[in-house]
């Protein structure tokens, strides 16, 4: 039996195969792990599929949601279509106070709900140790989509990448290595300078008009609507748009549909194209992040107790 580093159990709720790998990793530091909404669980000691949400949360001081968290309605994605998990006031009546809720990102109104219920939220989606390596399967998945949805090669294709953050950098380098003609559009002058130094054509984001008419494929990584109706009206119906930004994405999808442009909101690519790799990224980093957050939580609790005493 692995040596546990704390006494309380863990509930792993929803997600895909990545969460299965996370659940197994948590067995190294927790006495037991209960799951809900997952399929393909291995038959290993101390890993228990729960019958319902109440059973999953009972006794758990750490609750782990998928990296996608919950949508605006509070719904959590699950691998088991027969299971619905919703983060709402009823959910928090089942969660013990001083519990740590761990997820990639949570809507602000749900974070407020958690705080009011005495639940600490730990968001890890922007943590470099996870986000940087996670950009690789996202980029590879985006290129796979391009290859599936277009009748031409990546080599010599005119590709426009919007933004130049972690995912965009991973994507641009791989497109360039495959022979694509890569233009990078960004607001930040430093990012444009970096893009030019790496051999991409730099373009200020405010000058998209001509670029969108020349691009065969547009990859968006900016979490705001940058491909607006006027810009989409200038684009050829043969243009492919792959939106990698978090929901609701950076495309006016209704306008794209009116202009007969194929626009794909490609969320959760790591879990779809490389679940084992993406799961290992989480499994390698989450236990340490959770232990750090628990230490801060216990220190704050001890300090508060001392002041009250």
């Amino acid at each position: 039996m692995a040596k546990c580093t704390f006494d309380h159990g863990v509930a792993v709720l929803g997600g895909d195969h990545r969460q299965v790998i996370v659940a197994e990793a948590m067995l190294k530091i927790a006495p037991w792990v209960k799951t809900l909404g997952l399929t393909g669980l291995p038959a290993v000691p101390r890993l228990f599929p729960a019958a319902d949400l109440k059973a999953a949360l009972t006794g758990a001081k750490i609750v782990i949601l998928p990296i996608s968290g919950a949508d605006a309605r509070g719904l959590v994605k699950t691998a088991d279509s027969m299971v619905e998990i919703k983060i709402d006031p009823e959910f928090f009546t089942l969660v013990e106070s001083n519990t740590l809720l761990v997820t990639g990102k949570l809507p602000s109104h749900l974070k407020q709900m958690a705080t009011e219920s005495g639940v600490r939220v730990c968001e890890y989606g922007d943590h470099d140790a996870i986000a940087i390596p996670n950009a690789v399967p996202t980029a590879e998945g985006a290129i796979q989509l391009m290859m599936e949805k277009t009748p031409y090669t990546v080599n010599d294709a005119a590709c426009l990448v919007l933004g130049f953050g972690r995912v965009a950098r991973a994507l641009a380098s791989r497109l360039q290595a495959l022979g694509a003609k890569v233009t990078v559009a960004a607001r930040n002058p430093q990012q444009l300078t970096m893009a030019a130094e790496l051999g991409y054509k730099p373009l200020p984001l405010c000058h998209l008009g001509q670029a969108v008419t020349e691009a065969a494929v547009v990859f968006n990584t900016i979490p705001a609507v940058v491909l607006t109706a006027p810009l989409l009206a200038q684009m050829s119906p043969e243009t492919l748009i792959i939106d990698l930004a978090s929901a609701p994405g950076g495309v006016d999808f209704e306008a794209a549909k009116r202009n007969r442009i194929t626009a794909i909101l490609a969320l959760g690519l790591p879990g779809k194209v490389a679940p084992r790799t993406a799961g290992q990224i989480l499994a390698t980093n989450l236990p340490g992040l959770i232990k750090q957050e628990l230490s801060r939580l216990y220190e704050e609790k001890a300090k508060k107790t001392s002041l009250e005493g």
Side-chain angles (χ1 to χ4, degrees):
M1 178 174 173
K3 183 179 179 181
C4 302
T5 57
F6 50 85
D7 299 329
H8 300 288
V10 176
V12 177
L13 308 180
D16 50 30
H17 188 66
R18 289 173 289 181
Q19 287 284 87
V20 175
I21 297 174
V22 168
E24 291 183 88
M26 293 306 299
L27 287 172
K28 298 177 182 178
I29 61 173
W32 52 261
V33 175
K34 290 188 284 189
T35 69
L36 184 67
L38 285 174
T39 58
L41 289 163
V44 296
R46 301 183 290 117
L47 180 60
F48 310 108
D52 53 36
L53 188 59
K54 182 178 180 180
L57 293 172
T58 299
K61 297 297 287 186
I62 299 168
V63 178
I64 304 177
L65 301 181
I67 191 170
S68 57
D71 65 17
R73 296 174 296 165
L75 293 175
V76 177
K77 292 180 181 178
T78 64
D80 186 344
S81 60
M82 300 300 292
V83 175
E84 180 180 283
I85 300 173
K86 188 173 184 179
I87 312 303
D88 58 8
E90 183 179 351
F91 174 89
F92 287 108
T93 65
L94 301 174
V95 179
E96 298 181 20
S97 61
N98 294 318
T99 291
L100 183 65
L101 180 62
V102 182
T103 185
K105 189 170 180 61
L106 205 63
S108 57
H109 71 285
L110 296 181
K111 283 192 287 186
Q112 179 64 30
M113 198 180 295
T115 300
E116 293 171 355
S117 301
V119 173
R120 177 75 160 259
V121 177
C122 173
E123 295 176 298
Y124 61 81
D126 286 330
H127 194 281
D128 280 347
I130 292 173
I132 292 175
N134 218 36
V136 173
T138 301
E140 291 184 0
I143 293 172
Q144 178 179 317
L145 268 178
M146 173 186 172
M147 297 172 73
E148 291 173 350
K149 301 296 182 180
T150 58
Y152 42 80
T153 61
V154 178
N155 182 64
D156 211 37
C159 295
L160 174 60
V161 178
L162 307 184
F164 204 52
R166 301 181 187 101
V167 170
R169 290 195 295 270
L171 174 60
S173 67
R174 284 157 178 78
L175 288 169
Q176 185 184 63
L178 290 169
K181 298 173 182 176
V182 181
T183 297
V184 170
R187 289 191 181 93
N188 190 319
Q190 292 180 329
Q191 290 182 331
L192 291 175
T193 298
M194 184 190 304
E197 290 174 348
L198 292 170
Y200 316 128
K201 180 180 178 180
L203 179 75
L205 196 63
C206 58
H207 296 161
L208 279 181
Q210 182 65 29
V212 296
T213 66
E214 298 172 348
V217 184
V218 179
F219 298 90
N220 177 59
T221 68
I222 300 172
V225 179
V226 288
L227 290 175
T228 59
L231 281 173
L232 291 163
Q234 300 177 50
M235 296 169 64
S236 165
E238 295 181 359
T239 307
L240 172 66
I241 300 173
I242 298 176
D243 196 343
L244 304 171
S246 55
V251 181
D252 184 332
F253 286 96
E254 287 300 319
K257 186 176 180 180
R258 288 196 302 270
N259 289 282
R260 305 188 309 280
I261 295 171
T262 300
I264 302 169
L265 181 59
L267 300 179
L269 284 179
K272 295 173 183 175
V273 303
R276 182 177 297 178
T277 298
Q280 286 297 337
I281 291 168
L282 296 176
T284 299
N285 291 282
L286 279 185
L289 290 176
I290 288 170
K291 285 192 280 187
Q292 290 175 14
E293 195 65 27
L294 283 176
S295 295
R296 284 193 284 268
L297 186 60
Y298 294 152
E299 287 173 6
E300 291 171 9
K301 186 178 179 181
K303 185 177 180 180
K304 182 179 179 182
T305 302
S306 176
L307 291 173
E308 290 175 348

